[in-house]
Amino acid sequence: MQVEAFSELLQKYQDYDISPGAEGMDKVMARYQQPWTHYYFIMADGQKAGAIRVVVKEGESKKRISPIWIMKEFRGRGYAQAAIHAVEKIYGPNDWSLATIQQEKGNCHLYEKLGYHRTGDSKNINERMDIVFYEKN
């Protein structure tokens, strides 16, 4: 699911070193087995519409969403927003961080609508893309 969901972004930005769309099953499984990692499927009418990973490390004040994805056929229906609200309900509404592609205006709009604000930090990945960082306090 993860590779398929991120395949268009991988082709668009060609960020083979960091894209979830370029990860092998071994890396995905290693992350899944981390004790600080919690994955949740995003369901729509009994089907898996996507997933969200929440990172909660002991001793760190911020929780992190990394990554969240919605399968192409389910996009634009509010599932990502609902998933973020759900994990904020489980883990608390404050002290969150995440990162996204600056050039993906829809992603940035979603996070800002949900109360996340840019930290001011960014990282240039290549000539096509930059990563921007968000927090919610």
Side-chain angles (χ1 to χ4, degrees):
M1 277 181 73
Q2 175 182 302
V3 170
E4 181 181 337
F6 283 97
S7 65
E8 287 182 25
L9 291 176
L10 179 60
Q11 290 176 3
K12 182 176 180 179
Y13 297 110
Q14 299 180 14
D15 55 325
Y16 296 98
D17 292 336
I18 66 165
S19 174
E23 291 181 346
M25 186 56 90
D26 56 337
K27 187 169 183 178
V28 173
M29 288 307 297
R31 190 170 39 246
Y32 179 79
Q33 294 171 350
Q34 295 169 333
W36 53 82
T37 289
H38 309 275
Y39 276 99
Y40 299 92
F41 283 117
I42 299 167
M43 303 299 290
D45 299 322
Q47 296 180 336
K48 293 176 183 169
I52 185 170
R53 175 179 174 238
V54 177
V55 177
V56 183
K57 288 189 177 180
E58 190 173 322
E60 290 187 12
S61 61
K62 295 246 184 252
K63 301 159 290 244
R64 186 165 43 99
I65 297 171
S66 176
I68 181 173
W69 70 84
I70 304 295
M71 302 305 290
K72 186 175 183 175
E73 61 270 23
F74 293 99
R75 292 179 189 156
R77 299 186 198 172
Y79 293 118
Q81 181 174 331
I84 292 171
H85 281 307
V87 297
E88 288 177 348
K89 189 174 181 179
I90 294 168
Y91 296 99
N94 298 315
D95 299 319
W96 287 92
S97 67
L98 57 85
T100 195
I101 300 170
Q102 179 177 338
Q103 289 78 5
E104 292 298 313
K105 302 301 181 196
N107 290 357
C108 295
H109 175 75
L110 168 67
Y111 301 134
E112 290 166 11
K113 180 171 71 170
L114 292 173
Y116 289 77
H117 63 275
R118 290 190 189 192
T119 66
D121 293 332
S122 64
K123 182 178 180 182
N124 176 259
I125 303 303
N126 60 36
E127 65 278 357
R128 295 173 193 89
M129 88 182 252
D130 301 282
I131 297 293
V132 289
F133 299 89
Y134 282 86
E135 290 182 337
K136 185 175 184 181
N137 297 322

